[in-house]
Amino acid sequence: MPSRVFHASLKMLAFAACAVLAFALAGCAQEPPTPVPFKPVPPERILMPLYTQPAPGLVAVDVRRERGADVIVRFRDAPVYIDGQHVTDLMNGEHVVFYLSPGVHRIGVTTQFDPVVELRFMVDPRYTNRASVAFDKDHRIQIRRVAQ
């Protein structure tokens, strides 16, 4: 008889532990993941350092490669062009800051599978100057201006 009581108590304790664990895991799942900061492109991958050096009269333009979980595009490099000049390559989760004169510039991106996609980018010190590079559902590269 005492063993039945012991087994019943043990089952009740196991059930209670499972319920507490389920509630704890459910609470964790609702919290959004902490955003990971973008990594700067390493200096050795900057082909034209002139575009990444601040100077009087130039405006910072931040170009970011959005993180993607899709394995098909995650490890592709994305060459970046400023006014037709190949300046650097962006990898998943990287960014680069260019210093450009005010006015319209062409920022282009590509991959080994895509033609160059260009964005006519108005550089203006009064506005946020940020562009986002990402891949669409068909794994094609895109670039667009984004707000800060």
Side-chain angles (χ1 to χ4, degrees), residues 88-109:
T88 191
D89 292 359
L90 284 176
M91 299 302 289
N92 199 38
E94 290 184 334
H95 83 109
V96 62
V97 177
F98 298 116
Y99 293 90
L100 305 174
S101 60
V104 177
H105 292 271
R106 294 175 299 135
I107 301 176
V109 292

Side-chain angles (χ1 to χ4, degrees), residues 48-61:
M48 300 194 72
L50 176 67
Y51 284 104
T52 59
Q53 302 299 316
L58 299 181
V59 178
V61 176

Side-chain angles (χ1 to χ4, degrees), residues 55-121:
L58 299 181
V59 178
V61 176
D62 190 1
V63 178
R64 298 172 171 214
R65 164 106 181 254
E66 302 300 330
R67 283 183 178 73
D70 189 336
V71 127
I72 293 174
V73 296
R74 185 177 201 166
F75 299 105
R76 285 187 196 168
D77 62 328
V80 179
Y81 297 84
I82 301 293
D83 297 326
Q85 300 281 338
H86 183 195
V87 181
T88 191
D89 292 359
L90 284 176
M91 299 302 289
N92 199 38
E94 290 184 334
H95 83 109
V96 62
V97 177
F98 298 116
Y99 293 90
L100 305 174
S101 60
V104 177
H105 292 271
R106 294 175 299 135
I107 301 176
V109 292
T110 188
T111 69
Q112 66 268 36
F113 304 107
D114 295 304
V116 175
V117 177
E118 284 192 341
L119 172 66
R120 290 181 45 83
F121 196 95

